[in-house]
Amino acid sequence: MTATANETVLDATVDVRFTPAGTPLAVRHNGRIWAVAADPVHWYARDAWWETRRTAAVGSGDLVSVEYWRVQVRPGSSNSALRTFTLRRNPLSTWWLLESISDAG
């Protein structure tokens, strides 16, 4: 990923709260709750397993699918400007990472 002038690359662990339908509702980052304020975008990418040389026992699960969500958020219930968070979950991980933050506009 290439960072732009208004983007901060982080890879920080965050807590993500999901709706019953499985879409992000809120993100907790640095002790602050960021409410999702627009329809999130969801996709998967493939991990370069040949570069990480990750090995696992047969039946361990999916070792190559990296899950992403791009969400537009604002602090709590404020009317402040939207920020865009790119969230990532690596294969076999239970933790979400805040990959980057950028201005929504």
Side-chain angles (χ1 to χ4, degrees), residues 18-31:
F18 290 89
T19 67
T23 58
L25 180 63
V27 178
R28 181 187 303 268
H29 172 57
N30 280 345

Side-chain angles (χ1 to χ4, degrees), residues 46-55 63-64:
R46 294 291 184 190
D47 185 34
W49 59 266
W50 57 91
E51 292 175 2
T52 61
R53 301 186 194 283
R54 186 176 306 136
T55 61
L63 298 176
V64 296

Side-chain angles (χ1 to χ4, degrees), residues 77-96:
S77 59
S78 74
N79 287 326
S80 62
L82 291 173
R83 306 294 306 273
T84 300
F85 284 8
T86 302
L87 306 171
R88 182 183 83 235
R89 187 172 63 183
N90 292 324
L92 302 179
S93 177
T94 58
W95 297 99
W96 283 94

Side-chain angles (χ1 to χ4, degrees), residues 1-4 7-9 43 68 70 86 88 99-101:
M1 163 180 240
T2 304
T4 60
E7 181 177 55
T8 303
V9 178
W43 74 96
Y68 287 91
R70 180 163 294 136
T86 302
R88 182 183 83 235
E99 184 172 276
S100 65
I101 299 173

Side-chain angles (χ1 to χ4, degrees), residues 10-24:
L10 299 170
D11 277 349
T13 302
V14 293
D15 294 321
V16 182
R17 177 183 243 179
F18 290 89
T19 67
T23 58

